[in-house]
Amino acid sequence: QVQVVESGGGSVQAGGSLKLSCVASRNFFSTCGMGWYRQAPGEERELVSRMGSGGTTTYTDSVKGRFTISQANANTLYLQMNSLKTEDTAVYYCAVEYRSGGACVTYWGQGTQVTVSS
């Protein structure tokens, strides 16, 4: 079993910045990919940004140019969030997809709350 733990959430005013961290109990050497998702109240969970096994990054349109996903070391993933908007308010989840028997198994963290006020 893999544990995934997010941190770095909090409350910030619009225009501010936060940096989320995701630490996994296993290194990322055998992953299919890693990513950040978010879920606002009453909404479905959505992909915010993903880093593929080759390092390719993707972003949802609403955060392009403001958020940056990066890998800090063998088991730590970051999400730098700049120019935050009120609509970025959500619980942010880290997901790490590990290779297992030819498939990819996703492990989720418990989430960290990000609240952006106007």
Side-chain angles (χ1 to χ4, degrees):
Q1 187 71 13
V2 178
Q3 281 74 50
V4 177
V5 180
E6 306 97 335
S7 62
S11 297
V12 65
Q13 287 194 320
S17 298
L18 285 173
K19 187 173 186 177
L20 305 184
S21 297
C22 169
V23 178
S25 59
R26 187 193 299 174
N27 65 50
F28 296 150
F29 294 152
S30 60
T31 58
C32 306
M34 306 165 284
W36 289 95
Y37 293 72
R38 67 186 179 186
Q39 187 168 20
E43 303 290 332
E44 293 188 353
R45 191 173 296 189
E46 66 166 348
L47 175 65
V48 175
S49 179
R50 184 177 183 274
M51 178 179 290
S53 58
T56 302
T57 58
T58 58
Y59 299 89
T60 191
D61 285 345
S62 62
V63 308
K64 285 180 180 177
R66 301 188 297 121
F67 290 11
T68 303
I69 190 172
S70 62
Q71 182 177 341
N73 55 40
N75 67 338
T76 303
L77 186 71
Y78 291 144
L79 183 69
Q80 177 67 47
M81 304 186 295
N82 298 328
S83 302
L84 282 161
K85 304 176 180 180
T86 55
E87 52 262 44
D88 294 320
T89 295
V91 178
Y92 284 71
Y93 298 90
C94 178
V96 185
E97 308 153 32
Y98 286 95
R99 300 185 189 278
S100 177
C104 297
V105 178
T106 303
Y107 293 89
W108 293 89
Q110 80 290 348
T112 186
Q113 177 70 47
V114 171
T115 302
V116 184
S117 59
S118 58

